[in-house]
Amino acid sequence: MRTPPIFGPEDENMARIEALLTNWRLHLPKTKRDALQRDGKLDEMMFQAHMMMHATSILLHQPHSQLDTTPTQNINSCAPHQMVPAGDLFNTHTKHTIESASAISEMITHRVPLLSHTHFFTCVITLSSIVHLSRWALFFIPHDDDDLRQQVRLNIGALNRLAEVWGAADRARGQVKAVAQEIYQAKKQQRLNSQFWVGLT
């Protein structure tokens, strides 16, 4: 938050923040590398620390990734839509963004009540969903990419549970679900069109 504006993917401020994030991860004591302790109990403070680290990584790298955010522009419950242009290849910023979004989805799978987490987890899940949906909307990602669809479903399920208490989670869930359905229908149509042309030729 204290960093000056980052001007492009090669900005030295970006490298400095990534070094801070990586150092934090590398120097964690073994017992703190996971929010779950050996006895299976949750260390909520470490959960929040990992959550913030992954969210920061997405906020840092997503603007310089090649995941076009246009399909997710209607998801604005936690923050206004930020335009990110598409690219032909996955650069290193795209990989950082995807890995952090997947790590956030993985945090949902901890066998602890979702409502025991901070309500800020709602916006972090929404951020993760934007990344998953932006990736799923890419034309070269297959319609039936089950791993990606399961991550989207996992995030929607978590928002559904959080919506029992938090109004923001209810709004986020509705927006994420609507975009997921739009992408699903577009992918389905794309697949039917490609089958039509193959049959025709």
Side-chain angles (χ1 to χ4, degrees):
M1 289 172 69
R2 291 179 302 190
T3 300
I6 293 172
F7 301 104
E10 305 304 322
D11 192 308
E12 62 182 20
N13 286 313
M14 176 175 283
R16 189 173 68 81
I17 297 171
E18 183 51 49
L20 289 170
L21 291 172
T22 303
N23 276 329
W24 182 82
R25 274 195 327 271
L26 291 175
H27 294 284
L28 274 177
K30 204 171 187 176
T31 57
K32 302 290 184 183
R33 289 179 194 162
D34 194 305
L36 287 178
Q37 299 168 346
R38 279 188 183 170
D39 59 3
K41 290 183 181 172
L42 178 76
D43 182 337
E44 179 60 25
M45 294 317 317
M46 284 313 299
F47 183 92
Q48 289 187 40
H50 285 283
M51 175 193 85
M52 286 188 282
M53 189 269 300
H54 293 305
T56 302
S57 182
I58 291 174
L59 294 172
L60 179 67
H61 291 286
Q62 188 183 23
H64 309 286
S65 72
Q66 289 148 316
L67 293 173
D68 181 7
T69 55
T70 305
T72 62
Q73 61 189 333
N74 291 332
I75 302 174
N76 56 15
S77 59
C78 286
H81 172 254
Q82 183 179 7
M83 191 67 184
V84 177
D88 295 332
L89 298 169
F90 278 3
N91 63 13
T92 185
H93 300 291
T94 309
K95 290 175 182 170
H96 277 291
T97 304
I98 290 170
E99 284 173 12
S100 291
S102 296
I104 291 165
S105 293
E106 191 177 319
M107 293 178 81
I108 295 168
T109 66
H110 289 330
R111 295 290 185 169
V112 293
L114 280 170
L115 292 171
S116 69
H117 300 312
T118 170
H119 60 289
F120 293 116
F121 195 38
T122 294
C123 284
V124 175
I125 293 170
T126 306
L127 194 60
S128 166
S129 301
I130 289 170
V131 174
H132 293 325
L133 292 167
S134 297
R135 183 175 166 213
W136 193 27
L138 294 170
F139 74 93
F140 56 84
I141 300 294
H143 161 266
D144 58 350
D145 185 338
D146 195 51
D147 289 343
L148 201 45
R149 284 176 62 187
Q150 291 307 322
Q151 284 186 318
V152 172
R153 289 189 70 212
L154 188 64
N155 285 14
I156 291 171
L159 290 171
N160 195 43
R161 178 57 59 87
L162 293 167
E164 294 172 10
V165 173
W166 304 109
D170 190 40
R171 286 189 298 279
R173 176 200 51 189
Q175 292 175 355
V176 169
K177 195 171 180 181
V179 169
Q181 287 170 342
E182 283 176 22
I183 293 172
Y184 176 79
Q185 291 302 328
K187 287 278 181 183
K188 192 174 176 183
Q189 192 59 47
Q190 181 186 36
R191 186 172 58 95
L192 291 172
N193 288 344
S194 63
Q195 286 177 345
F196 169 78
W197 288 111
V198 167
L200 191 67
T201 55

